[in-house]
């Protein structure tokens, strides 16, 4: 993981809009359908470090600028000039950035507002929860370009929709619309585009009101469930359960219920 300076800065291709404990992170290169060039990815890397370090932030909403695209993939022009070493490094860097987003202390919601292709689909897959607008389209078209998904698509898509369907989508490059994405479990919910961000903010508010360390631990345990056998997973869950036993939030949350109050969690 990179250790870039996580101090506040302005970005060319990102906007960050903070409201209470929720930050909307918008990828903003709309003239290229928010395609991920190296400059944008480097900014994302920096922003993710800064967001992860923010102890008062509970939820990140990731979306794309404009009404047409979430992210239309890695920047194809930049990929075209890479040699073997450069291609591997580019893939590893994007993967690392997405993994940092996925494994940080905040819950991450993708608000997919249009095309989510290639790296855009992979970015959505790296988020914990996916909401989509009715015009959203998902796909991994890489093999039609002579490459493969390089930011985690071959690993996360089978985990989400099953190996058979993922294999079809990866090998054909076929796009799925929002209705099909919902049916196959690729997205959690589909809403009209005008309501997408409100819906994401509403869900973020619910998550943000819960105990933050518990949310982070529960998401981590759920994520691990895909990588370990059941006994290991159950042990890991119990370990995290035990760790939470030392938090003030657990005490406050349980006592508040007994006293018929609503707990106000502090994240400690
Ligand atoms: N990389 C670089 N530029 C991209 C891009 C990408 N992945 N996706 C779109 N763009 C650019 C286009 O080149 C175009 O730029 P220009 O106006 O300077 O020519 C601009 O974004 C608008 O895209 P355009 O193709 O004109 O829009 P459209 O509505 O006709 O088609 C898509 C939309 C998403 C179907 C089409 O842009 C597309 O297929 N993009 C590539 C998707 C892809 O293969 N992604 C995986 C990459 S690994």
């Amino acid at each position: 993981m990179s250790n870039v300076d996580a101090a506040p800065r302005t970005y060319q291709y990102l906007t960050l809009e903070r409201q209470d404990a929720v930050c909307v992170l918008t990828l903003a290169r709309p003239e290229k359908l928010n395609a991920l060039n190296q400059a944008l990815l480097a900014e994302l890397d920096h922003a993710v470090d800064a967001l992860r370090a923010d102890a008062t932030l509970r939820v990140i909403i990731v979306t794309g600028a404009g009404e047409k695209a979430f992210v239309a993939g890695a920047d194809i022009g930049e990929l075209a000039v890479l040699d073997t070493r450069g291609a591997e490094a580019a893939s590893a860097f994007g993967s690392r950035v997405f993994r940092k987003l996925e494994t940080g202390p905040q819950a991450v919601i993708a608000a997919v507002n249009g095309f989510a292709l290639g790296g855009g689909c992979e970015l959505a897959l790296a988020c914990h929860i996916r909401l989509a607008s009715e015009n959203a389209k998902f796909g991994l078209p890489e093999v039609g370009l002579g490459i493969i998904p390089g930011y985690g698509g071959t690993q996360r898509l089978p985990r989400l929709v099953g190996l058979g369907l993922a294999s079809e989508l990866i090998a054909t490059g076929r796009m799925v619309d929002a209705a099909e994405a919902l049916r196959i479990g690729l997205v959690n919910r589909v809403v009209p585009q005008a309501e997408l961000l409100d819906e994401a903010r509403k869900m973020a508010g619910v998550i943000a009101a819960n105990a933050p360390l518990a949310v982070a631990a529960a998401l981590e345990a759920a994520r691990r469930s895909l990588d370990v056998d059941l006994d290991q997973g159950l042990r890991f869950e119990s370990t995290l359960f035990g760790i939470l036993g030392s938090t003030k939030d657990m005490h406050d949350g349980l006592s508040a219920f007994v006293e018929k109050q609503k707990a106000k969690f502090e994240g400690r």
Side-chain angles (χ1 to χ4, degrees), residues 59-111:
V59 185
I60 301 168
I61 297 171
V62 181
T63 194
E67 300 194 338
K68 197 165 167 184
F70 175 68
V71 171
D75 189 295
I76 294 173
E78 284 189 356
L79 292 180
V81 299
L82 294 176
D83 59 10
T84 301
R85 192 174 296 192
E88 184 177 350
S91 165
F93 179 60
S95 266
R96 218 161 47 233
V97 175
F98 290 5
R99 186 68 171 155
K100 269 200 303 204
L101 182 67
E102 184 181 36
T103 57
Q106 295 90 11
V108 186
I109 301 173

Side-chain angles (χ1 to χ4, degrees), residues 60-238:
I60 301 168
I61 297 171
V62 181
T63 194
E67 300 194 338
K68 197 165 167 184
F70 175 68
V71 171
D75 189 295
I76 294 173
E78 284 189 356
L79 292 180
V81 299
L82 294 176
D83 59 10
T84 301
R85 192 174 296 192
E88 184 177 350
S91 165
F93 179 60
S95 266
R96 218 161 47 233
V97 175
F98 290 5
R99 186 68 171 155
K100 269 200 303 204
L101 182 67
E102 184 181 36
T103 57
Q106 295 90 11
V108 186
I109 301 173
V112 180
N113 56 307
F115 287 112
L117 302 177
C121 184
E122 293 171 296
L123 175 58
L125 288 169
C127 297
H128 303 128
I129 297 163
R130 282 153 293 282
L131 307 183
S133 58
E134 288 165 343
N135 64 319
K137 286 203 164 58
F138 296 80
L140 293 173
E142 282 88 347
V143 292
L145 298 164
I147 55 176
I148 65 170
Y151 298 160
T154 63
Q155 303 305 300
R156 292 193 179 92
L157 190 62
R159 284 166 160 82
L160 197 59
V161 304
L163 181 58
L165 193 48
S167 299
E168 177 205 325
L169 295 176
I170 290 167
T172 62
R174 178 170 76 80
M175 274 192 227
V176 304
D177 62 16
E180 183 175 359
L182 182 63
R183 188 168 54 74
I184 65 177
L186 180 46
V187 299
N188 300 57
R189 201 175 297 173
V190 178
V191 297
Q193 187 168 56
E195 295 166 24
L196 180 64
L197 268 187
D198 281 349
E199 198 66 26
R201 283 200 179 95
K202 222 180 288 167
M203 185 182 282
V206 174
I207 295 170
N210 288 326
L213 297 175
V215 170
L219 288 176
E220 187 178 354
R223 199 166 52 243
R224 286 276 185 101
S225 74
L226 300 175
D227 302 327
V228 299
D229 68 35
L230 185 59
D231 284 324
Q232 274 184 297
L234 293 173
R235 259 200 311 280
F236 185 61
E237 184 184 74
S238 295

Side-chain angles (χ1 to χ4, degrees), residues 4 11 14 16 25 42-52:
V4 294
Y11 299 106
L14 298 177
L16 283 86
L25 170 62
E43 290 190 355
L44 190 59
D45 184 43
H46 184 280
V48 170
D49 280 333
L51 294 174
R52 282 177 60 125

